[in-house]
Amino acid sequence: MKKVTLFALLFSVINLSSFAQNTRTCGTMDNISAAEMEAFEKSITPFVEDYIKNQTEGKNSKKTVYTIPTIVHIIHNTTENVGSGRNIPYSRVVSQINILNDDFRRTNSDASNTPSYFQGVAADCEINFCLITKYPSGHPNAGQSLPEVGVDRVSTAAISGISNTSSGYSMNTINSTIKPATSWNPNEVMNIWVCQLQSGLLGYATFPSSSTSSSTANVDGTVMGYQYFGYNSAAYPFHKGRTTTHEVGHWLGLYHIWGDDNGACSGSDQCSDTPNQANATSGCPSGKRTDNCTSGNGIMYQNYMDYSNDACMNLFTSNQKARMQSVMANYPRRKTLNNFSSTLCSTQTDIDEFANSNVNIYPNPTKGNINISFEKNTDATIEVYNMVGKLVSSNNLTNKNFTSINLNNQPIGVYFLRVKSGNSTKTERIMLTK
């Protein structure tokens, strides 16, 4: 937390070319003006205050868990086949969605690395992400199934005004040419563009906006350098997909944790539970670390909105959650997304509860074994799907009230367990943590 000084953010423009390859660089704050930030903060403040007040007083205490349908536009050279260069393999896309789900739901395997003195403010943000299976409305193929779940592979030849690149595209080219030519309905999906970026930039995002104009709609989303999208050991130390977590945090209304004030101690991320911090963190520190703005428990370099190495990041805070939940509930092109998760992401749908018998699925999160128990003996089919809708386990139950599914051979991430008995179906989202 820092004293509110929004205009200071305008003067913190990063000289991207001055950073080495092993320094994180984010272009989001270069993408928003001081006037836009001032207007955004004025509009969001009462929503956040109401959210925190209601949570504190126990009002509307029922969880609101949002699911964001997601499309990944992979912009690649004409010479690159799938899995080559900028045309990244599908496994990287799947790994990134799993990382986002883990980080925003605090099921990340390194959550235990959060220091004890910050554990109390670390939050499950109650936001999920799913790869869409169908084209959204407005697309020529609206309603039809995607050939590759959640992915739109676009060759440079299909975008007028750009060509193959070896050095990457500028933010101006991406915003003015690539995005308008490839954006899908932002009221129904979150657009992520994966391409090569210039000047060592890792990624950037658009902030939430109260505007509903097409000029802001067709650029809305997150842009990622292809090297840093998903798990990619070759991109060390930014190899664990946390750059996308960071940029989606911006897309949901979060500022950099140090307030972008070049050490003045007066900038703000508008979150009272993040310590005041002078500047961005680099590398991967250990133990308590203080600076000119912070004492006590020190800075929160473990926060996803800092510039630490991927392996050092492991939490969002309760106040950051409040901002993101407020954005999802109130802002155009955010508040409508959850409504489309059931139709665009087929594996996300809870169809109905069992009519004549209760079913209990536990533990969740799980380290491998999932137990399914029924109130009475039941005939049922039990299926487990991964995030892209692939069936990874199937089991038939005959006149029994208990069974167990073993997922020890599956990678960590998000799965959907579906129990079908007669005309009744129940689907539950499972976190496999190991």
Side-chain angles (χ1 to χ4, degrees):
M1 177 191 73
K2 297 184 180 181
K3 180 181 177 183
V4 178
T5 309
L6 291 176
F7 283 99
L9 295 173
L10 178 63
F11 303 103
S12 62
V13 177
I14 298 170
N15 181 357
L16 299 173
S17 62
S18 67
F19 284 86
Q21 285 293 117
N22 63 350
T23 302
R24 186 180 298 278
T25 56
C26 162
T28 297
M29 302 316 297
D30 299 339
N31 238 11
I32 182 170
S33 69
E36 289 169 328
M37 282 186 286
E38 190 79 12
F40 173 65
E41 207 55 40
K42 183 177 180 180
S43 69
I44 196 174
T45 296
F47 296 134
V48 174
E49 290 175 348
D50 285 348
Y51 179 89
I52 294 174
K53 180 181 178 182
N54 289 337
Q55 293 297 308
T56 302
E57 296 179 352
K59 298 177 182 178
N60 302 323
S61 57
K62 183 180 179 181
K63 286 185 177 181
T64 302
V65 180
Y66 296 98
T67 298
I68 299 176
T70 304
I71 183 65
V72 179
H73 307 283
I74 299 174
I75 314 301
H76 62 90
N77 288 348
T78 57
T79 54
E80 294 170 323
N81 295 321
V82 175
S84 171
R86 299 153 194 81
N87 200 0
I88 62 173
Y90 191 66
S91 59
R92 292 259 298 279
V93 177
V94 174
S95 71
Q96 184 62 75
I97 294 299
N98 287 338
I99 290 163
L100 286 174
N101 279 306
D102 285 340
D103 289 350
F104 280 82
R105 294 308 308 271
R106 195 157 171 75
T107 58
N108 48 304
S109 60
D110 54 2
S112 59
N113 293 341
T114 301
S116 58
Y117 43 86
F118 289 145
Q119 285 281 357
V121 298
D124 168 6
C125 297
E126 296 173 351
I127 296 174
N128 301 318
F129 304 84
C130 66
L131 293 170
I132 63 173
T133 62
K134 300 177 181 179
Y135 291 96
S137 62
H139 193 280
N141 298 324
Q144 298 180 31
S145 296
L146 286 168
E148 192 173 12
V149 173
V151 171
D152 172 37
R153 297 185 186 271
V154 185
S155 166
T156 55
I159 303 175
S160 178
I162 67 168
S163 57
N164 289 347
T165 183
S166 59
S167 59
Y169 303 108
S170 67
M171 284 197 290
N172 181 61
T173 295
I174 294 168
N175 292 339
S176 63
T177 304
I178 294 176
K179 283 183 175 183
T182 56
S183 176
W184 292 5
N185 190 336
N187 296 303
E188 298 183 10
V189 301
M190 174 177 68
N191 287 275
I192 298 179
W193 288 270
V194 178
C195 59
Q196 185 177 3
L197 299 172
Q198 286 183 357
S199 306
L201 188 65
L202 272 64
Y204 69 97
T206 53
F207 252 69
S209 171
S210 298
S211 171
T212 57
S213 72
S214 59
S215 63
T216 56
N218 66 13
V219 297
D220 189 25
T222 300
V223 179
M224 285 297 308
Y226 76 95
Q227 308 96 313
Y228 313 106
F229 189 75
Y231 184 86
N232 179 20
S233 59
Y236 179 88
F238 308 119
H239 61 302
K240 302 186 73 171
R242 262 59 193 271
T243 301
T244 307
T245 300
H246 177 104
E247 300 303 343
V248 172
H250 283 311
W251 185 81
L252 289 169
L254 300 186
Y255 297 119
H256 289 139
I257 193 170
W258 67 95
D260 291 272
D261 64 356
N262 295 321
C265 302
S266 57
S268 179
D269 69 349
Q270 310 301 322
C271 294
S272 62
D273 55 5
T274 61
N276 202 341
Q277 182 172 326
N279 273 309
T281 305
S282 61
C284 193
S286 60
K288 293 184 180 180
R289 177 175 175 176
T290 59
D291 60 26
N292 293 335
C293 304
T294 303
S295 58
N297 289 327
I299 64 175
M300 192 183 281
Y301 57 81
Q302 304 88 353
N303 197 283
Y304 295 122
M305 301 313 294
D306 204 343
Y307 269 11
S308 311
N309 292 353
D310 278 19
C312 239
M313 296 177 160
N314 51 57
L315 83 150
F316 287 117
T317 70
S318 294
N319 280 188
Q320 288 176 321
K321 171 185 177 178
R323 287 179 69 86
M324 292 189 283
Q325 284 274 321
S326 297
V327 164
M328 287 300 299
N330 296 288
Y331 282 79
R333 300 194 298 274
R334 303 291 186 273
K335 65 183 181 181
T336 55
L337 294 174
N338 186 66
N339 298 334
F340 291 93
S341 62
S342 61
T343 54
L344 294 179
C345 305
S346 60
T347 56
Q348 298 281 341
T349 308
D350 291 344
I351 302 175
D352 26 59
E353 297 293 331
F354 276 69
N356 300 313
S357 63
N358 293 325
V359 57
N360 189 23
I361 300 169
Y362 64 97
N364 188 16
T366 178
K367 293 186 177 181
N369 289 316
I370 306 172
N371 301 316
I372 303 99
S373 63
F374 301 85
E375 190 176 77
K376 62 183 181 180
N377 287 350
T378 302
D379 294 340
T381 299
I382 301 164
E383 300 171 331
V384 180
Y385 295 84
N386 64 17
M387 272 296 295
V388 299
K390 180 181 178 181
L391 181 68
V392 299
S393 176
S394 181
N395 187 20
N396 292 320
L397 192 70
T398 304
N399 197 31
K400 293 182 179 180
N401 65 0
F402 178 84
T403 190
S404 182
I405 300 293
N406 189 319
L407 295 180
N408 284 320
N409 62 336
Q410 299 297 326
I412 62 172
V414 179
Y415 294 83
F416 298 92
L417 189 147
R418 181 174 296 168
V419 183
K420 297 187 288 186
S421 179
N423 293 323
S424 296
T425 302
K426 180 177 181 178
T427 302
E428 186 160 320
R429 185 177 184 275
I430 301 295
M431 297 287 189
L432 178 61
T433 59
K434 296 188 178 180

